[in-house]
Amino acid sequence: MDSATPGLQVVWVNRAFAAVTGYDATTAAAGESRALARSRMTEQEAASFRAAVAAGRSMRHTLTLTRSDGSTFPSLVELSPVPAADGEIRYWVVMLQDLTEQLTQAAEAAALVEAERRERRHLGLIAQVSDLLMDVDDPHALGEIARLLCRTVVGWAAFYLNDNGLRHAEGITALRPVTGKGRRHGTAAHTEERTPVGDGFVPGGDAVQALLEGERDRPVEIDLEGAFQYGSASSWVARHAGRAPGVDGPPPSRRAVVYPVPGRRRVLGLLVVFPSDGGSIASLDSSTQTVLELTARRVGLVVDNARLYDREHRLAETLQRAMLPEQADVDGLDVWTYYAPNSENVQVGGDWYDVLQIAPDIVGVVIGDVVGHDVEAAAAMGQLRSVVRTYAFDVRTPAAVLERVDQIIGGMRIPRSAGLVLSTLTRTGAGWELEYSRAGHLPALLVRDGVATELSEAGGMLIGFGSGRRDTGRLALRPQDVLVYFTDGLIERRDRHLRDGMLALADVASRVTARDAAGIGEEVLSRLADHPEDDVAVVVVRVPDPAAGVETTNGPRRRRWSLPSEPASIGRARHAVLRTCEAWGLGNAANAELVVSELVANAVLHGYGHVSLQLDETGDGLRIEVEDANPAPPVTTDGHPGRVGGFGMQIVERLADWGWRPSPAGKVVWARVRPAPLPRSGRD
């Protein structure tokens, strides 16, 4: 280039220049190549070049240049002066390096690196989703997953489960199907903001309904401002998407993308998202869509598994609880019963007990154990229990009963082996006579005058395996004698021999300080059953001393009862609290009786399942806990207009401090009865 010519006239170009730019020496010399430099050069770049030429110094810069055909290309431009012998600069050499190939390769490499990073981020995201789903009892697991998606791949997200109607879901623990009468096609229902489903709705015209019914398995896009038939699933989503409680911020657009949350046999709900850029489903790249689909599928699988486990667990537990008898009130005897399944064995097993009022003066006590911790074990236990009860009322002598049971069980082909202890207590004037027979079960304990003795006579084979006559042991009981029946879960541990467990139980039983059956049982449990490795069933029978009355003790101040959900349990609970207050020497028993009556009445009237009653002496009052299977909290009302009742919790509030908490089985309502005020002395 000639520096003497204004604009640096081109005087020569090589063949490479012509090939890259499309300008040969003639056209370049004619000035047409000026378009090459001007086309994509900024004012700042042009000023830099002018300053370099004026100063006579070299310069390198990357520019976007234009070819003769109008196309552009990135180029590294180096401008260097050529000084003459006298030092004057008359010519400049300009070198161009086409960077198209280099930048293309670099861009491709960067794109590959970014794609790999994105895939790793998405794999990490799926791993985080899996971690959050590990704890199915977390009440906020689904909400956390939705917020994780918001922070990483979408602008807004929420889960809606279809439990006889769509509802926002924060966690998995609340996803059990709603009982009662559901809507016809299971869409809009079961939230405070729900809109009833219209009877005239036609499912075939609704894209979201098609997802819920499994007619479509690909995500659909809906416009929240679109026109939808009243009561349709799309209408419900359009109204509720973006307003889910606990989800931060409004949706970034008015177009929602809806993914199905599939279970094994049906679609369980929806994952609703809004793209981050406010766009449509087309703005979600394939990797993001894969993440959302995998997330929805994993959530659906976990929810389905949780519900399946919950159904089977409740079936097994209900079966076993239905087979277990309630604590019997026996005239002339103090009886306490306890059963606790091992939580590690899905809370179902083959342990059972029975307290039978065979005749006015004959009481039967049975405790047994069927091998196993599953529904089959519970079913075998139920069959065996029914057979034993039937023959106990008919034959009455323990050995003869077991001989008949051996015969019929052998023909029934029950798949599980079982052991049991059957005993009868017969009133003889002022005392009781004990008869018992054992079929492959641990012996009961007799505690008399501080000494525990195993009732090891009359032993025999497991039930159903007896081939000959069985023996009956006999013993005359005295006032204040205690019988402790138990299953091996009370004493069996992996780190000790069963015989050592028997010795530990005998030692504990011989040193109990309680004087009532419930207190003795609680003291035994507190020392031996803190961490049981198997199901535990215990029956404590105490022969009262009519002359001694009720004695206060220093034993454990806790009592527990399992009551059926029926009105008769209210009276039993009142009797239990009065008897406990008397045994513990507590005042204010009348208030405690009234409080426990109201709490148990509420559990019977408004709850379902078995009712659990627990009493604890806390040092500053009596704490009462009542548990039932209804998770809904208690409500204080002003009564029911037009009918009697509705004031129960108001009565509790006047007599006690109270509250409630959720439990794995439902809820626990507790109350601490305030101590009775001390009498005032002196004049008023």
Side-chain angles (χ1 to χ4, degrees):
M1 298 182 71
D2 185 359
S3 62
T5 304
L8 296 179
Q9 178 70 38
V10 176
V11 296
W12 177 85
V13 298
N14 63 2
R15 293 178 181 176
F17 178 89
V20 170
T21 66
Y23 296 104
D24 57 16
T26 302
T27 55
E32 294 182 19
S33 62
R34 292 179 181 178
L36 176 74
R38 288 200 306 266
S39 58
R40 292 297 181 91
M41 186 180 296
T42 65
E43 285 296 330
Q44 184 177 1
E45 291 169 341
S48 297
F49 271 94
R50 286 193 293 269
V53 171
R57 55 181 173 81
S58 300
M59 182 179 181
R60 297 181 66 183
H61 200 77
T62 300
L63 298 174
T64 299
L65 304 179
T66 304
R67 297 184 179 92
S68 61
D69 61 0
S71 63
T72 60
F73 67 99
S75 176
L76 176 63
V77 179
E78 183 173 352
L79 182 67
S80 300
V82 182
D86 57 1
E88 185 179 355
I89 299 174
R90 295 189 179 89
Y91 296 96
W92 293 78
V93 175
V94 179
M95 293 179 289
L96 305 180
Q97 181 182 359
D98 188 354
L99 301 178
T100 301
E101 184 175 354
Q102 296 180 20
L103 292 179
T104 300
Q105 293 176 349
E108 291 177 352
L112 289 174
V113 170
E114 179 58 29
E116 183 178 355
R117 289 176 178 172
R118 184 168 58 251
E119 293 296 331
R120 289 183 178 180
R121 287 196 300 268
H122 289 170
L123 287 175
L125 176 59
I126 295 298
Q128 292 182 63
V129 170
S130 300
D131 290 341
L132 290 171
L133 290 173
M134 289 291 289
D135 186 6
V136 296
D137 293 327
D138 183 356
H140 305 291
L142 298 186
E144 288 298 325
I145 293 173
R147 286 183 279 274
L148 176 63
L149 295 176
C150 293
R151 294 193 300 267
T152 53
V153 293
V154 295
W156 190 94
F159 287 94
Y160 299 90
L161 274 297
N162 184 22
D163 296 333
N164 294 332
L166 287 172
R167 61 182 179 79
H168 175 253
E170 268 286 307
I172 297 176
T173 54
L175 300 185
R176 298 189 181 102
V178 179
T179 58
K181 195 173 181 179
R183 293 290 177 181
R184 183 173 62 184
H185 53 82
T187 51
H190 304 310
T191 65
E192 292 77 2
E193 304 173 358
R194 73 177 186 267
T195 299
V197 177
D199 291 336
F201 173 65
V202 180
D206 185 355
V208 175
Q209 183 69 27
L211 288 180
L212 291 172
E213 294 181 351
E215 297 176 358
R216 298 188 56 168
D217 59 359
R218 302 299 301 166
V220 299
E221 181 179 324
I222 63 171
D223 185 352
L224 275 73
E225 297 177 349
F228 303 103
Q229 184 170 349
Y230 174 79
S232 68
S234 295
S235 173
W236 192 94
V237 171
R239 285 195 307 275
H240 291 81
R243 298 191 292 114
V247 180
D248 298 332
S253 71
R254 298 300 299 171
R255 302 193 68 82
V257 181
V258 185
Y259 288 82
V261 177
R264 287 181 176 83
R265 298 182 179 179
R266 69 179 184 90
V267 175
L268 302 178
L270 305 172
L271 168 61
V272 180
V273 302
F274 292 84
S276 300
D277 57 2
S280 63
I281 191 172
S283 64
L284 298 174
D285 58 61
S286 60
S287 180
T288 297
Q289 292 195 41
T290 300
V291 167
L292 295 173
E293 289 179 5
L294 287 176
T295 298
R297 289 184 179 276
R298 293 199 178 195
V299 167
L301 180 62
V302 171
V303 171
D304 214 7
N305 286 341
R307 291 181 173 181
L308 178 62
Y309 171 83
D310 184 71
R311 285 195 299 269
E312 292 185 351
H313 166 71
R314 286 175 176 269
L315 171 63
E317 188 176 16
T318 301
L319 174 64
Q320 183 159 8
R321 290 290 184 185
M323 293 176 178
L324 284 175
E326 307 304 329
Q327 180 173 321
D329 291 326
V330 180
D331 183 27
L333 291 174
D334 184 9
V335 180
W336 178 84
T337 56
Y338 175 82
Y339 172 76
N342 180 18
S343 59
E344 295 181 0
N345 294 320
V346 298
Q347 297 195 4
V348 63
D351 289 16
W352 94 96
Y353 64 85
D354 230 335
V355 180
L356 313 172
Q357 189 75 58
I358 297 174
D361 292 327
I362 302 176
V363 176
V365 179
V366 187
I367 195 160
D369 184 4
V370 176
V371 175
H373 302 94
D374 52 21
V375 176
E376 188 177 78
M381 177 267 289
Q383 291 177 290
L384 182 58
R385 172 175 174 261
S386 297
V387 173
V388 173
R389 287 175 65 96
T390 300
Y391 284 130
F393 279 93
D394 183 30
V395 181
R396 300 186 180 182
T397 302
V401 172
L402 295 187
E403 289 170 6
R404 290 200 178 185
V405 173
D406 283 333
Q407 295 174 1
I408 193 169
I409 290 298
M412 292 175 64
R413 297 183 179 179
I414 293 180
R416 301 296 179 90
S417 57
L420 62 87
V421 175
L422 171 63
S423 64
T424 59
L425 292 89
T426 304
R427 196 192 308 267
T428 57
W432 293 82
E433 182 181 14
L434 172 70
E435 292 184 325
Y436 63 94
S437 186
R438 297 189 298 118
H441 197 277
L442 295 171
L445 285 184
L446 169 67
V447 183
R448 175 180 290 173
D449 299 329
V451 178
T453 305
E454 296 179 11
L455 299 180
S456 55
E457 298 179 5
M461 298 289 291
L462 291 170
I463 201 71
F465 292 90
S467 57
R469 294 181 59 84
R470 291 185 180 268
D471 297 328
T472 296
R474 292 176 175 83
L475 179 69
L477 298 178
R478 304 173 187 172
Q480 299 191 18
D481 280 354
V482 175
L483 297 172
V484 181
Y485 302 82
F486 59 95
T487 56
D488 55 7
L490 179 65
I491 62 172
E492 189 175 23
R493 300 292 181 271
R494 295 185 182 94
D495 57 351
R496 74 182 180 195
H497 194 272
L498 192 60
R499 169 48 55 184
D500 294 331
M502 286 290 297
L503 294 175
L505 173 59
D507 179 63
V508 170
S510 64
R511 294 188 290 110
V512 293
T513 59
R515 293 294 180 267
D516 62 321
I520 294 169
E522 292 289 353
E523 191 164 345
V524 169
L525 290 177
S526 66
R527 298 188 183 183
L528 293 176
D530 285 341
H531 302 286
E533 298 174 1
D534 201 351
D535 305 333
V536 177
V538 181
V539 177
V540 177
V541 179
R542 177 178 174 271
V543 181
D545 185 355
V550 179
E551 303 176 42
T552 59
T553 70
N554 295 321
R557 297 302 182 99
R558 173 182 292 176
R559 301 289 187 270
R560 284 169 280 188
W561 293 267
S562 179
L563 306 170
S565 184
E566 60 186 26
S569 294
I570 302 171
R572 292 186 58 195
R574 296 175 64 171
H575 178 65
V577 75
L578 286 174
R579 187 171 56 195
T580 301
C581 288
E582 187 179 8
W584 289 348
L586 299 179
N588 216 12
N591 286 353
E593 179 189 12
L594 190 54
V595 169
V596 80
S597 178
E598 295 297 338
L599 296 185
V600 174
N602 281 342
V604 169
L605 294 175
H606 307 297
Y608 44 85
H610 277 63
V611 177
S612 174
L613 169 63
Q614 178 169 311
L615 306 177
D616 290 273
E617 199 279 313
T618 61
D620 59 350
L622 179 68
R623 182 181 176 91
I624 302 168
E625 293 190 354
V626 176
E627 182 177 12
D628 65 76
N630 185 355
V635 178
T636 303
T637 68
D638 294 328
H640 303 299
R643 56 191 176 97
V644 178
F647 298 98
M649 296 312 297
Q650 290 191 17
I651 296 173
V652 173
E653 279 189 343
R654 289 181 177 273
L655 301 177
D657 302 317
W658 74 278
W660 76 282
R661 67 176 187 273
S663 70
K667 70 173 179 300
V668 173
V669 182
W670 61 268
R672 186 180 63 83
V673 181
R674 305 182 185 101
L678 296 175
R680 290 179 294 180
S681 60
R683 292 180 298 177
D684 294 337

